[in-house]
Amino acid sequence: MKKYLKNIFIFIVIVVFILAFSHSYSSLNIDNLAYVVALGIDSTDDNNLQVTFQFSTPVSIESGEKPNPINNTIISPSISNAINIMNSYLGTPISFSHCKVIIFSEQLAKQGISDEIYTLINDTQVTPSSNIVISKCDAKNYIEQTTPELENLVSKYYESFENSSKNTGYIPDATIGDFFNDLTSRTREPYAILGGLNAESRNEENSTTTSQNSLKANTTSISGKNGSENFGVAVFREDKLVGELNAFESVAFLNIRNNIDRFLISIQDPENENNLLDIYMTPSNNATIKVNTSNQTPYIKINCKYTGRIYSMTQNSKYLSPEVLDSISKSCDSYLESLFTNYLYKTSKEFNSDINSVGDYALKNFFTTKEFEDYSWLENYKNAFFKVNVDSSVKSGMLITET
């Protein structure tokens, strides 16, 4: 009898749960949600926000054509208000669970974006892994010009930002979660991806040569169907944009932060002074950073170690010679030491922004939090001095060796 009553009770509970949540499921299932894949935020002349929502559209299997994303824009006093109005306009709940990138215009970033960052990070649907881009053009224009050539879905293109960061170093893998953590930190400052439009979208002729030493978003000679481009780093002090780094300075940034798998450099060919030698460099281990805070002028020593492989070859080159390879290795050491040192002084003297997280290493020198706060690391970073040592071992890139 007891077993019979127990089964009846379980059956009633199951029925109650089904009835209670069936309406919730029907209203929030995947077919009844509008998925945002990109969010663009611009400032207006009357201190409002221009918010652009980019929505994904399903792939049509029958037609085989690329789905075109839907872009809707609204002017509103705040992001929350814009989301609420867009919900009403669409008649469908908006979901940020698949939002891949959040774009702020350069103009808004210079004014400060802490309010927008706090609002978005407080939304449980916004994933901390969403990339953050500072666009040299309007965020709305950046989104409208983004038309990937090799991907069927624009969301897949946005997902490639992380791989690009690891394999080239020309942009960082900057997320809103990292930005928020840096914004609230006492040891480091925030940063973001620097974006813009290519030459064709800017209506400029691509007649100039683009070198990696000057490569920066919104200035390249690139032309193509995809009108947007990302090259470089947007540097912040607190919540305000204070400067930009070009693509090769971004390589230095990622090396100091140990966030790069490999990168390409071009040095003088020891066998031909009129030729540049392309070499792929791979970190042998993480950069070691030591900070001396015995006075108000921090002394920062950084040691880096790399293996290199020659990428460009000429027919009569002697790149298998130990003497030549040793000369090339020393040239790489000198080149990278100069690049890293100039980059570090730029962040210190020009921007006064420790985006390198050196403050995390300096923190070890203090016994209490109050001692570190009294030292005022973020303010003292502009007084820092740097010493960079690089040790490279370059090998020939030839697949067939001499016999």
Side-chain angles (χ1 to χ4, degrees):
M1 185 65 179
K2 289 183 179 180
K3 186 177 180 181
Y4 178 74
L5 292 174
K6 182 180 179 180
N7 290 337
I8 293 177
F9 176 76
I10 293 174
F11 177 76
I12 293 173
V13 170
I14 292 174
V15 170
V16 169
F17 268 89
I18 291 174
L19 293 175
F21 291 100
S22 60
H23 175 72
S24 174
Y25 170 78
S26 63
S27 63
L28 293 178
N29 69 61
I30 191 170
D31 295 327
N32 294 329
L33 292 174
Y35 287 97
V36 177
V37 294
L39 184 70
I41 308 171
D42 297 295
S43 60
T44 64
D45 294 336
D46 55 356
N47 295 322
N48 283 313
L49 296 178
Q50 177 179 266
V51 184
T52 301
F53 300 82
Q54 186 174 62
F55 299 97
S56 62
T57 54
V59 179
S60 176
I61 299 177
E62 295 179 357
S63 66
E65 297 179 355
K66 285 186 178 182
N68 293 320
I70 299 171
N71 301 325
N72 288 332
T73 302
I74 186 171
I75 295 178
S76 176
S78 67
I79 294 178
S80 299
N81 190 262
I83 294 172
N84 197 41
I85 295 174
M86 190 57 65
N87 271 322
S88 178
Y89 171 75
L90 295 175
T92 301
I94 293 175
S95 174
F96 287 92
S97 59
H98 294 284
C99 185
K100 305 299 181 183
V101 61
I102 300 167
I103 305 104
F104 293 92
S105 68
E106 179 185 34
Q107 181 182 0
L108 179 60
K110 288 180 177 180
Q111 298 171 9
I113 57 175
S114 59
D115 290 345
E116 290 74 24
I117 293 295
Y118 274 89
T119 297
L120 291 169
I121 210 70
N122 194 47
D123 190 325
T124 56
Q125 289 189 11
V126 177
T127 60
S129 60
S130 299
N131 284 117
I132 181 169
V133 173
I134 305 302
S135 176
K136 298 284 291 180
C137 63
D138 289 345
K140 179 178 184 290
N141 199 12
Y142 177 97
I143 288 177
E144 291 175 343
Q145 293 295 329
T146 300
T147 52
E149 298 181 68
L150 303 179
E151 301 286 354
N152 286 328
L153 297 175
V154 68
S155 59
K156 290 292 185 182
Y157 167 71
Y158 294 140
E159 289 175 357
S160 70
F161 290 179
E162 180 180 359
N163 292 331
S164 178
S165 172
K166 288 288 187 181
N167 293 324
T168 69
Y170 289 167
I171 62 170
D173 180 24
T175 67
I176 188 172
D178 290 335
F179 193 99
F180 175 77
N181 291 334
D182 295 342
L183 186 61
T184 57
S185 172
R186 292 188 292 266
T187 61
R188 56 191 183 274
E189 298 282 8
Y191 61 93
I193 298 170
L194 187 65
L197 301 180
N198 65 20
E200 186 173 337
S201 296
R202 299 193 310 270
N203 297 318
E204 296 178 4
E205 294 184 2
N206 56 339
S207 57
T208 58
T209 301
T210 301
S211 68
Q212 59 183 356
N213 294 332
S214 61
L215 191 62
K216 188 188 293 187
N218 222 60
T219 63
T220 72
S221 58
I222 298 173
S223 62
K225 182 179 178 182
N226 185 13
S228 66
E229 62 182 19
N230 299 318
F231 292 104
V233 182
V235 181
F236 282 75
R237 178 158 174 78
E238 297 180 349
D239 71 327
K240 293 181 175 62
L241 178 68
V242 295
E244 303 168 356
L245 301 173
N246 62 38
F248 220 49
E249 290 168 333
S250 173
V251 170
F253 164 68
L254 293 175
N255 272 280
I256 301 300
R257 289 183 62 100
N258 299 309
N259 283 333
I260 193 169
D261 289 339
R262 66 172 188 165
F263 58 98
L264 183 71
I265 64 173
S266 300
I267 64 169
Q268 194 74 45
D269 188 338
E271 294 190 321
N272 183 356
E273 62 181 13
N274 296 320
N275 186 47
L276 290 177
L277 201 59
D278 294 329
I279 303 176
Y280 262 116
M281 306 296 292
T282 303
S284 300
N285 46 42
N286 286 342
T288 60
I289 301 176
K290 295 182 179 180
V291 185
N292 185 333
T293 53
S294 58
N295 54 45
Q296 294 297 308
T297 55
Y299 179 72
I300 301 163
K301 189 174 182 179
I302 301 175
N303 293 316
C304 304
K305 192 172 184 179
Y306 300 95
T307 58
R309 186 167 293 276
I310 300 172
Y311 192 63
S312 58
M313 306 290 289
T314 57
Q315 183 177 0
N316 299 318
S317 61
K318 300 295 182 181
Y319 297 143
L320 294 178
S321 165
E323 293 77 13
V324 173
L325 290 176
D326 183 62
S327 175
I328 294 173
S329 296
K330 290 179 179 178
S331 296
C332 288
D333 293 346
S334 177
Y335 181 87
L336 291 176
E337 285 174 359
S338 175
L339 172 67
F340 293 174
T341 301
N342 291 337
Y343 155 74
L344 287 165
Y345 276 113
K346 186 173 185 177
T347 63
S348 172
K349 307 303 180 185
E350 185 175 340
F351 301 147
N352 188 21
S353 175
D354 181 15
I355 59 173
N356 308 292
S357 296
V358 177
D360 291 338
Y361 299 90
L363 185 61
K364 303 173 184 177
N365 298 338
F366 300 88
F367 291 105
T368 66
T369 302
K370 187 177 185 307
E371 287 182 5
F372 182 74
E373 290 176 347
D374 291 342
Y375 189 80
S376 300
W377 170 260
L378 294 179
E379 186 61 34
N380 259 328
Y381 183 69
K382 65 177 180 292
N383 301 319
F385 288 89
F386 301 92
K387 174 63 177 176
V388 179
N389 294 314
V390 175
D391 181 16
S392 303
S393 176
V394 177
K395 299 178 180 179
S396 171
M398 295 185 68
L399 299 178
I400 301 176
T401 59
E402 295 178 345
T403 58

